Amino acid sequence: MAVLPMSMKDSNGYSGMSDNARLCLRFAAKRYLVFCFTGFVVFTLLLRSLYFHDPQATETIALEDPEEKPALEDPDEEPQERWPGARLPPLYSQYHEYELGLPQHHWHATPHEGEPKVFFMAGHNWGNGWGNVFQEIVMNAYVSYKSNRAFVFYNYTWSYDGDYADYNGKPIPSRIPLSALVRARIRTLISVSVAGPIVGGAFPPGLHSPPAIAEQYYREICTGRIKYLNRDEVHKNLPARNMDATSKRWVATLGALDDPCVEVTSDPGAPFDWVVFGDRNAIHEVWADLAASPVLTHFGWSSLVELAFDTNREVISPTSVYEPPLSASTYTANAERYTEIKGLLVLHVRRGDYEGHCEHLARWASSYLAFNAHRALEQFDPPPGTGGGEATPEGYAFYRQHCYPSIEQIVARVRDVRAGEHAQGLEHVYIMTNGPAPWVAELKAALADTLHFKHVASSRDLVLNWEQKYVAQATDMLVGQRAQVFIGNGWSSLTGGIVLMRMANRFHPETTRFF
């Protein structure tokens, strides 16, 4: 018996929609859903191709060599003419605007005599890698905090000529605002979460230091009333060129001044230079107070950096249970936010320019940098046959093993560290490196095949958007900071920043090692 279409009554007794009409609507709805889904997929793939770069093209943009300077910009040459066919890097205008809009910036107030006292280092580090700049920013902010003056923060600067600088024939941003790297304030639709004293965030409750201000605002409020200090004059008869003696001298000098605006002249430079940061004993006396200061206890990475970490969480170290994304979590403090990632081993392996740099280190019998030379960590003593501008073949070989290790030496070092008590349970490896892709692939295969790690990834595997590409060093630092075990390069300032955070957050010293 044929089943005929029926007309159903609705709750009011009227004829309802026929079954045929329902079938047509269902068919149309399904076609509409399929069309929408297909369109979404196509749009996503198109967006990805435009917005994300090829993971194999990832490279370390900024070197750590303190002598490396970017090529000067020709002000008369258009960027398109200098780098034909190249996609120009971002200029981070929204971050600049954000910094200028910090609530402590009273742009329309007149006069500005009621502003807090401020301290600016005009001779700050520029034209160098993020590791070099970062270590100086930490110490400059620390001195400002101890002096009860507002720290004047500044851009991460490669060049002062034009918007773009040349790095190995490729355009890079001449300047990146510090808030693109370091956490300041996070604006949401619901509330404002405040953190990051280095970039204008509030200090924790109970501390009443004035918040940091942007350099542009400093120029606005201090023009015509700046007290200039010369580093060499302040450092006269300084008992030692370490961070503690240097910090105390500057705090005492600033404390004796009533001038609201104090600036360190660009020549001869800022209070902390490569001589201080290169001294293995420089940090010992200041460490306890520095580690307890809000400069470190309430340090945080920018939302841009944290989002890069969240996006690549499964690439870096696959999870077995749900982990809330950092970028969606309320900020509390450095140690509470950046906790240990169980099972993760992070290696910092320098290539490229470091081969020649390691030979230079051997000739001058250089020891680890200050931030890498905590007394609780393993130490490096220069061997015989190095120093005085010369080194024997044995001396060069000894330095290369620790500074520029081969794949075989890296595998051997990992095997040795993995046998330790605090390295039990390591399953995943993340390699921070600027090495060429074929070499990195060979290293990954050696670690997986020889030591049987479940997962091995590197900086080149990260999927980064166009803005994140140029702050990738900070993302690597965040990963290294959280590793169960970290093996770094004792002469690298980027390693030094990671070590600084691990020690400040009380990671066991046995989990922070060197090649």
Side-chain angles (χ1 to χ4, degrees), residues 6-311:
M6 296 185 299
S7 177
M8 305 295 293
K9 302 286 187 179
D10 63 15
S11 59
N12 295 316
Y14 295 101
S15 297
M17 186 181 299
S18 70
D19 286 352
N20 286 338
R22 281 194 179 88
L23 290 173
C24 289
L25 281 177
R26 287 179 182 174
F27 177 75
K30 288 180 180 179
R31 291 291 298 270
Y32 178 75
L33 288 174
V34 170
F35 173 78
C36 289
F37 178 75
T38 303
F40 174 76
V41 171
V42 171
F43 174 76
T44 301
L45 292 174
L46 179 62
L47 182 64
R48 179 185 177 90
S49 67
L50 293 174
Y51 197 55
F52 290 93
H53 71 82
D54 180 0
Q56 294 302 317
T58 305
E59 60 182 303
T60 301
I61 297 298
L63 297 177
E64 297 165 31
D65 184 353
E67 298 179 356
E68 182 75 18
K69 294 287 183 181
L72 294 179
E73 192 80 16
D74 182 352
D76 298 323
E77 187 176 19
E78 292 293 330
Q80 291 79 7
E81 297 175 358
R82 189 172 191 188
W83 302 284
R87 181 185 180 186
L88 294 177
L91 297 179
Y92 303 91
S93 58
Q94 70 274 36
Y95 292 89
H96 286 292
E97 293 173 3
Y98 165 77
E99 292 177 356
L100 297 180
L102 287 169
Q104 58 265 38
H105 294 163
H106 308 295
W107 291 97
H108 302 294
T110 54
H112 289 287
E113 277 73 12
E115 299 276 356
K117 294 180 178 180
V118 301
F119 186 39
F120 175 57
M121 292 75 167
H124 62 78
N125 202 323
W126 68 275
N128 290 312
W130 170 241
N132 289 293
V133 174
F134 175 77
Q135 63 185 4
E136 185 192 52
I137 286 174
V138 167
M139 294 309 301
N140 288 346
Y142 171 72
V143 168
S144 300
Y145 162 70
K146 297 295 289 185
S147 305
N148 199 34
R149 286 179 176 263
F151 172 56
V152 180
F153 63 88
Y154 40 86
N155 295 324
Y156 170 33
T157 302
W158 270 90
S159 172
Y160 287 101
D161 299 306
D163 290 332
Y164 308 101
D166 186 277
Y167 180 74
N168 287 344
K170 298 178 181 179
I172 63 171
S174 289
R175 291 165 297 279
I176 298 178
L178 201 56
S179 58
L181 293 143
V182 178
R183 172 178 291 263
R185 297 160 58 90
I186 302 300
R187 298 175 185 268
T188 67
L189 294 176
I190 301 174
S191 63
V192 177
S193 175
V194 181
I198 289 179
V199 200
F203 283 86
L207 296 177
H208 303 290
S209 293
I213 62 173
E215 180 181 352
Q216 189 170 339
Y217 184 68
Y218 163 76
R219 299 297 181 193
E220 172 75 15
I221 66 174
C222 288
T223 299
R225 57 194 190 112
I226 299 174
K227 170 70 174 180
Y228 294 97
L229 295 178
N230 180 284
R231 182 191 69 189
D232 288 351
E233 292 179 1
V234 174
H235 286 184
K236 280 182 180 178
N237 302 317
L238 193 66
R241 284 300 304 275
N242 60 47
M243 296 179 188
D244 185 60
T246 302
S247 298
K248 288 178 178 176
R249 173 63 62 86
W250 281 95
V251 170
T253 300
L254 293 169
L257 297 175
D258 290 328
D259 304 81
C261 304
V262 177
E263 178 176 320
V264 183
T265 58
S266 56
D267 185 21
F272 302 94
D273 58 14
W274 66 271
V275 176
V276 177
F277 289 116
D279 184 350
R280 67 189 296 179
N281 299 310
I283 199 174
H284 296 162
E285 295 178 16
V286 77
W287 172 244
D289 193 64
L290 174 62
S293 75
V295 172
L296 292 187
T297 62
H298 285 71
F299 173 86
W301 295 107
S302 72
S303 56
L304 184 65
V305 171
E306 289 191 347
L307 184 59
F309 173 85
D310 290 337
T311 303

Side-chain angles (χ1 to χ4, degrees), residues 353-414:
D353 65 305
Y354 240 60
E355 184 174 14
H357 185 55
C358 291
E359 293 179 356
H360 171 81
L361 296 172
R363 286 193 294 272
W364 296 102
S366 299
S367 57
Y368 287 165
L369 300 183
F371 281 3
N372 294 325
H374 294 265
R375 289 193 176 102
L377 301 178
E378 55 190 358
Q379 303 296 308
F380 177 87
D381 295 314
T386 60
E390 298 180 352
T392 63
E394 293 77 14
Y396 281 130
F398 188 83
Y399 266 84
R400 278 195 297 270
Q401 179 180 352
H402 296 276
C403 177
Y404 198 81
S406 65
I407 289 178
E408 294 75 14
Q409 289 170 333
I410 293 171
V411 170
R413 181 57 173 155
V414 170

Side-chain angles (χ1 to χ4, degrees), residues 398-480:
F398 188 83
Y399 266 84
R400 278 195 297 270
Q401 179 180 352
H402 296 276
C403 177
Y404 198 81
S406 65
I407 289 178
E408 294 75 14
Q409 289 170 333
I410 293 171
V411 170
R413 181 57 173 155
V414 170
R415 181 186 291 110
D416 178 59
V417 170
R418 197 182 191 185
E421 174 186 355
H422 296 279
Q424 299 305 302
L426 294 178
E427 296 182 336
H428 306 149
V429 183
Y430 178 77
I431 307 165
M432 300 167 46
T433 186
N434 63 336
W439 186 88
V440 175
E442 186 179 350
L443 173 59
K444 290 168 60 177
L447 291 167
D449 297 341
T450 306
L451 300 180
H452 309 295
F453 284 102
K454 292 182 178 179
H455 178 81
V456 183
S458 80
S459 308
R460 292 189 172 277
D461 298 315
L462 298 185
V463 178
L464 304 173
N465 68 31
W466 198 233
E467 287 184 330
Q468 290 165 346
K469 175 179 180 178
Y470 298 93
V471 298
Q473 299 85 4
T475 304
D476 274 351
M477 287 181 69
L478 168 54
V479 178

